[in-house]
Amino acid sequence: MNINGEIPLFLSNLTKLSEVGMPRNSLTGGIPSWLFNLTQLTYLNLLMNQLQGPIPNTFSSLKSLEYLHLGSNNFSGRVELDMFLGLNKLQTLGLGYNRISLVTTNNYTNTTLPELHKLGLSSCNLKEFPAFLHFQNKLRFLLLDVNKIDGLVPVWIWNNSRETLELINLSHNSITGFDQQPHFLPWRILEVFFIANNQLRGQLPIPPQSTVDYLVSHNNLTGEIPPSICELKSLQYLDLSFNNMSGTLPSCLGILSNSLVYLDLRRNNFQGKMMNGFMPGSLLENLDLSENRFTSQLPRSLRHCTNLEFLSLGDNSFHDVFPSWLGTLSNLQVLVLRSNKFYGSIQGSSQFPKLRIIDLSNNNFSGQLHQNHFQTWHAMSSNHLGVSSVMESNISSKNVNTHWPYTVTLTHKGVRTERNPSITPTSSRASIAQSFQQSFYWTYLAIFRNLTNLEALDLSRNELSGEIPQKLVQLGFLSIFNVSFNHLQGRIPQGKQFDTFDNSSYIGNPRLYGRPLSKEGQDLKVPGVQPTSNVSESLFPSERIDWIFVFCGVGSGLVVGVVIGNFLYERYSYRFTKRKDRWVRPLRNTRRN
């Protein structure tokens, strides 16, 4: 309701009030003392406001409370957990994502504790698993992410609540493994298991067969993917990225695509052929195998993945012709084939009806690239306007809905970063760098003039000749322009965006003159700067190109990429989960009710 200011004072007169819910507002100030006069409260939800100050220990006086959520505020200071554990009717407790340090003790017995169903202690500066969890046998949701817990997950954690636990989040700690790890972790009805960004070592822990979402990225796992992973028939989301796993993929993994929606194996050491056996009716929407050591040809059974929107196979050793047969995938929007061993001409690419991002850089493509490639990729047109949305997979289980944004890997000044692309065709980006050893002429510029919202244009290291067309000044949104190392001549266009470009946009064209070059009508000398065919070097001098989405340049042949997107959701470093009944704290980039 966009409520501002302090918690409304008029509530103090409602002494028989049993439920107060004001989540997702802009409440400020502290928790007022009069609130504890409302002794009949059973439900208090102040989630996601801007409340601050200490959490009063007088919460222990609200003996009727069954539901208490103070998460995602600015509360600070030390908080004694015991004041809540004396509330015998309490079933839901959420304190996470504040600035508090939770203080626990070891003096608990089963008779003195409430039977919690949902517990959120994310980001509470915990250094170990709270001892009172020994006696919690009915937990459904347990959130202990973003703490300082290290060492092994104790056996009693999975022995307790074995029959009831549906979601557990242990991500962003320093956990190294599981004590007495069983073949399958034994929670019988677990659906969501997050344990990313820890220090897990050894083989991949296999969650229960009921698991729907399994996130174990950014750890130190080694070894192969056990074939038993294919026994998880309900699995829809699997993220093993950023580990040290190796070996070949189990052959059954392709068949698992009948349930999988999102599969991310990037930045490991997997090798050999990628999995085959994709079946008609595959639900797969996102497949990322980039930055591994896969070889051979692409499996033609990929054509059965008709729901596929995002396919990233970059930084491997695939050896194949351009996969024009992927053009029949009518939902494909992102295709990344960079840094492989693809070869030959780019034929049949006039399909791909929804393609918005394509990266073919650092391969062995050759021949000419016809302008039809630009004219038929209508989804890249600036005339194709729409509402911004993050590209993501939506996964639903019985009790939890999760939203997993796609990520694109970018390199800026030698540092790789990951971004979540939004799909809004209100801006376009083009990179045509390191061309096919064929001349690329300004006739293509008629196409670019139609991209009236073009923000970046890179035509460097081609065989362009003649003058820079004055009509390019009409591209009022252009913020990056690079025609370096061509054979251009004449005066550089002036006005609008062209007044913002510096010398680096034009070096390597000795017959160009005019601002920003240092001398009118005189060759620009570029001592010590030579064109290079090393595709790992920048299209701009001394650094790698800083594009928002995709770079298309090829090792020995023409590179084309026309990229469409609006802006990046940089603040989404985490993916969130939402609960249908309003409770669950966002876990990683999740829409909320």
Side-chain angles (χ1 to χ4, degrees):
M1 294 180 62
N2 197 29
I3 302 174
N4 296 296
E6 298 183 349
I7 296 175
L9 180 61
F10 74 87
L11 294 176
S12 63
N13 297 320
L14 306 178
T15 55
K16 296 184 178 181
L17 202 62
S18 62
E19 297 189 8
V20 173
M22 292 185 288
R24 300 179 181 88
N25 281 289
S26 300
L27 295 173
T28 57
I31 294 179
S33 58
W34 55 257
L35 185 67
F36 302 102
N37 296 326
L38 306 180
T39 55
Q40 298 188 35
L41 277 180
T42 62
Y43 177 97
L44 177 59
N45 187 354
L46 300 175
L47 169 71
M48 298 181 68
N49 280 282
Q50 300 171 31
L51 297 168
Q52 59 188 14
I55 295 178
N57 56 17
T58 43
F59 269 105
S60 59
S61 65
L62 298 179
K63 299 296 185 181
S64 297
L65 270 183
E66 300 173 10
Y67 183 110
L68 175 61
H69 210 323
L70 305 177
S72 298
N73 280 281
N74 295 314
F75 293 119
S76 58
R78 291 166 57 90
V79 175
E80 299 285 343
L81 184 61
D82 286 2
M83 70 168 148
F84 304 108
L85 298 183
L87 304 176
N88 291 330
K89 296 182 180 180
L90 195 64
Q91 296 181 6
T92 295
L93 175 62
L95 302 175
Y97 295 102
N98 284 286
R99 294 181 292 169
I100 64 174
S101 294
L102 199 62
V103 179
T104 64
T105 66
N106 294 319
N107 301 320
Y108 301 110
T109 64
N110 196 29
T111 58
T112 62
L113 296 173
E115 291 185 336
L116 294 174
H117 295 173
K118 302 171 189 176
L119 177 63
L121 302 180
S122 308
S123 187
C124 286
N125 285 302
L126 292 171
K127 296 182 179 179
E128 60 184 3
F129 289 94
F132 80 94
L133 292 177
H134 272 284
F135 306 102
Q136 296 299 314
N137 299 316
K138 295 185 179 181
L139 276 173
R140 294 174 54 206
F141 288 10
L142 177 59
L143 310 180
L144 298 176
D145 54 304
V146 198
N147 280 292
K148 301 174 183 178
I149 302 172
D150 60 7
L152 299 175
V153 178
V155 173
W156 53 265
I157 282 288
W158 66 66
N159 281 335
N160 294 343
S161 302
R162 178 183 293 207
E163 305 293 333
T164 60
L165 198 64
E166 301 171 20
L167 180 152
I168 182 169
N169 188 354
L170 303 177
S171 295
H172 294 274
N173 282 285
S174 298
I175 296 169
T176 57
F178 294 81
D179 190 17
Q180 302 178 25
Q181 179 174 324
H183 179 66
F184 285 100
L185 298 176
W187 296 295
R188 297 188 186 280
I189 62 171
L190 190 74
E191 295 182 356
V192 178
F193 185 22
F194 299 155
I195 193 167
N197 296 87
N198 277 280
Q199 299 176 22
L200 292 181
R201 298 191 294 263
Q203 281 206 324
L204 175 71
I206 302 299
Q209 296 185 22
S210 57
T211 304
V212 176
D213 292 52
Y214 186 26
L215 173 62
V216 67
S217 65
H218 295 84
N219 279 285
N220 299 315
L221 294 173
T222 56
E224 299 184 355
I225 298 177
S228 54
I229 195 75
C230 298
E231 298 179 33
L232 308 184
K233 302 301 183 182
S234 299
L235 192 62
Q236 296 183 43
Y237 177 91
L238 178 60
D239 188 349
L240 309 181
S241 61
F242 295 87
N243 279 284
N244 295 311
M245 302 182 71
S246 58
T248 57
L249 301 183
S251 57
C252 60
L253 203 56
I255 300 175
L256 195 61
S257 69
N258 286 336
S259 65
L260 274 177
V261 175
Y262 190 115
L263 177 60
D264 192 344
L265 304 181
R266 67 192 145 143
R267 205 169 292 189
N268 278 280
N269 294 304
F270 296 119
Q271 60 188 21
K273 296 181 179 180
M274 67 175 284
M275 66 283 196
N276 203 343
F278 297 99
M279 304 293 289
S282 168
L283 299 177
L284 202 60
E285 296 177 0
N286 179 299
L287 177 59
D288 195 338
L289 305 182
S290 59
E291 299 180 67
N292 281 283
R293 294 188 290 166
F294 292 111
T295 58
S296 193
Q297 295 181 327
L298 303 185
R300 273 29 181 191
S301 61
L302 262 176
R303 70 179 76 217
H304 295 313
C305 300
T306 54
N307 292 303
L308 201 62
E309 298 177 349
F310 183 102
L311 178 60
S312 181
L313 304 174
D315 297 280
N316 282 286
S317 296
F318 289 110
H319 187 261
D320 205 346
V321 297
F322 179 77
S324 57
W325 45 273
L326 289 176
T328 60
L329 301 180
S330 58
N331 293 306
L332 190 64
Q333 299 183 49
V334 176
L335 177 61
V336 178
L337 303 178
R338 68 167 181 271
S339 299
N340 278 283
K341 297 179 180 179
F342 290 101
Y343 61 92
S345 59
I346 301 177
Q347 299 291 339
S349 58
S350 57
Q351 300 181 70
F352 302 97
K354 291 187 178 180
L355 193 65
R356 297 177 183 271
I357 299 173
I358 182 169
D359 185 351
L360 307 179
S361 62
N362 196 15
N363 280 285
N364 297 315
F365 293 120
S366 59
Q368 292 182 326
L369 187 68
H370 197 271
Q371 62 180 353
N372 285 345
H373 295 290
F374 297 97
Q375 294 173 341
T376 58
W377 291 342
H378 298 296
M380 297 184 184
S381 169
S382 62
N383 296 323
H384 199 72
L385 300 179
V387 178
S388 175
S389 62
V390 176
M391 294 189 67
E392 63 183 5
S393 290
N394 302 317
I395 296 174
S396 299
S397 58
K398 181 175 65 175
N399 294 305
V400 178
N401 295 334
T402 53
H403 305 269
W404 299 102
Y406 305 155
T407 58
V408 175
T409 300
L410 306 181
T411 301
H412 175 52
K413 297 184 178 179
V415 178
R416 293 194 176 210
T417 58
E418 296 172 14
R419 309 291 186 184
N420 306 126
S422 64
I423 292 305
T424 308
T426 56
S427 61
S428 303
R429 302 175 189 274
S431 170
I432 304 178
Q434 285 269 147
S435 116
F436 282 170
Q437 302 174 354
Q438 300 287 337
S439 295
F440 187 87
Y441 296 101
W442 289 112
T443 53
Y444 278 88
L445 272 261
I447 298 166
F448 296 137
R449 285 200 303 269
N450 294 327
L451 299 177
T452 54
N453 294 303
L454 192 70
E455 293 181 355
L457 177 60
D458 183 0
L459 303 171
S460 63
R461 292 186 171 89
N462 279 283
E463 301 292 329
L464 292 171
S465 59
E467 297 184 353
I468 300 175
Q470 183 67 31
K471 289 186 178 180
L472 289 181
V473 176
Q474 299 173 8
L475 300 178
F477 290 95
L478 199 63
S479 60
I480 296 175
F481 181 68
N482 189 4
V483 291
S484 60
F485 299 110
N486 280 283
H487 305 292
L488 300 171
Q489 60 185 6
R491 180 179 293 277
I492 295 172
Q494 303 296 312
K496 295 186 178 179
Q497 296 301 101
F498 273 78
D499 291 342
T500 67
F501 305 136
D502 60 21
N503 287 7
S504 63
S505 295
Y506 307 104
I507 61 173
N509 294 281
R511 296 188 178 182
L512 278 178
Y513 63 91
R515 293 196 309 270
L517 302 187
S518 55
K519 296 182 180 180
E520 288 281 323
Q522 194 169 3
D523 291 355
L524 174 67
K525 305 298 182 183
V526 193
V529 180
Q530 298 295 329
T532 176
S533 61
N534 185 344
V535 295
S536 69
E537 295 184 15
S538 171
L539 305 179
F540 294 118
S542 305
E543 63 180 47
R544 298 190 181 190
I545 185 170
D546 178 18
W547 291 88
I548 296 293
F549 279 130
V550 177
F551 322 91
C552 289
V554 254
S556 59
L558 179 222
V559 171
V560 167
V562 179
V563 177
I564 196 154
N566 189 7
F567 49 83
L568 305 173
Y569 286 73
E570 295 187 19
R571 64 192 180 94
Y572 294 139
S573 59
Y574 295 60
R575 295 179 181 122
F576 301 116
T577 308
K578 72 173 184 179
R579 179 76 164 96
K580 290 181 179 178
D581 65 6
R582 304 178 296 174
W583 181 76
V584 174
R585 156 69 188 175
L587 300 175
R588 287 176 63 90
N589 278 358
T590 307
R591 294 174 182 159
R592 312 178 186 98
N593 285 334

